Amino acid sequence: MSVPVVDPFGRRITYLRVSVTDRCDFRCVYCMAEDMTFLPKSKVLSIEEMDRLCTAFVRLGVRKLRLPPHECHRRLVSSLTCRTSCF
């Protein structure tokens, strides 16, 4: 395993929240600004890119990946979960 990821306080990061899309239909205040500017699709990571990113973080010591289960991207989350479940 490589050098673990640490936060500015020196704590190991073992939990990662991965947002699959910035276009969620729920519009909850937790992750959506009142005046939201969305990214062009070309700037949003593909499933394959997210898979590589999550794999890299797992190799750095992340043990828990959270993929928010919003209705607007349930199929994408299912696909990524199948790819990362072998960890």
Side-chain angles (χ1 to χ4, degrees):
M1 180 167 35
S2 302
V3 177
V5 181
V6 294
D7 69 9
F9 298 102
R11 299 173 294 197
R12 289 184 70 175
I13 297 174
T14 60
Y15 175 85
L16 181 67
R17 181 181 183 270
V18 180
S19 293
V20 178
T21 181
D22 68 343
R23 298 177 190 271
C24 176
D25 292 334
F26 289 136
R27 303 286 190 257
C28 47
V29 295
Y30 174 72
C31 60
M32 299 292 289
E34 210 171 291
D35 185 26
M36 192 70 182
T37 303
F38 295 109
L39 296 171
K41 281 195 170 195
S42 63
K43 298 289 184 186
V44 176
L45 296 178
S46 68
I47 291 294
E48 293 77 20
E49 290 169 324
M50 282 186 266
D51 180 32
R52 287 196 304 268
L53 179 71
C54 290
T55 299
F57 273 102
V58 166
R59 288 187 180 137
L60 293 172
V62 168
R63 293 292 166 247
K64 182 177 179 182
L65 297 170
R66 179 169 184 252
L67 304 167
H70 300 302
E71 289 294 323
C72 63
H73 60 272
R74 185 185 318 178
R75 189 172 55 95
L76 296 176
V77 170
S78 177
S79 174
L80 187 57
T81 301
C82 289
R83 291 170 186 259
T84 59
S85 64
C86 63
F87 301 117

